[in-house]
Amino acid sequence: MEKEQFIEVAVVTTSGAYPSSGYNKVPAHQKIRIEIEKAAKELKITSTDGWIAQVGGKIIDIDKSYLENNLAGEFFIDWGPRQTGGGFLL
């Protein structure tokens, strides 16, 4: 039987970080959405429509596992509203 793989992850938002310090150890085959939902509940975030998750500036698919997103080791997920371009409206 294959040994379970784990990653260490933290979710960072404008409302704070989950966990509040360090990282959570989670199975690498787990869908990212699970940790994102825990972060939303813990940080009391109610409206996340249109939010995106990124690791190292690359958008990831939270409905896939960490392995499917080619993520390993220890990292943080930057989760928040999509950044819109600046500029002036004339």
Side-chain angles (χ1 to χ4, degrees):
M1 188 166 126
E2 195 174 320
K3 186 175 183 245
E4 178 74 67
Q5 292 179 288
F6 290 90
I7 53 95
E8 294 193 28
V9 62
V11 178
V12 179
T13 75
T14 54
S15 299
Y18 173 79
S20 58
S21 65
Y23 296 85
N24 282 338
K25 185 175 180 178
V26 299
H29 73 273
Q30 177 176 287
K31 286 187 179 181
I32 295 170
R33 178 175 294 283
I34 293 171
E35 206 66 11
I36 292 284
E37 288 174 351
K38 288 179 184 177
K41 184 175 181 179
E42 182 72 23
L43 299 171
K44 297 176 176 50
I45 301 169
T46 54
S47 179
T48 59
D49 292 341
W51 281 31
I52 58 170
Q54 299 181 76
V55 173
K58 179 183 170 228
I59 296 175
I60 58 172
D61 184 346
I62 66 170
D63 289 314
K64 292 185 176 176
S65 72
Y66 298 97
L67 289 175
E68 290 171 313
N69 277 284
N70 296 313
L71 298 172
E74 181 181 281
F75 55 89
F76 69 89
I77 297 171
D78 183 16
W79 182 49
R82 184 178 295 274
Q83 297 294 319
T84 57
F88 297 100
L89 295 176
L90 301 176

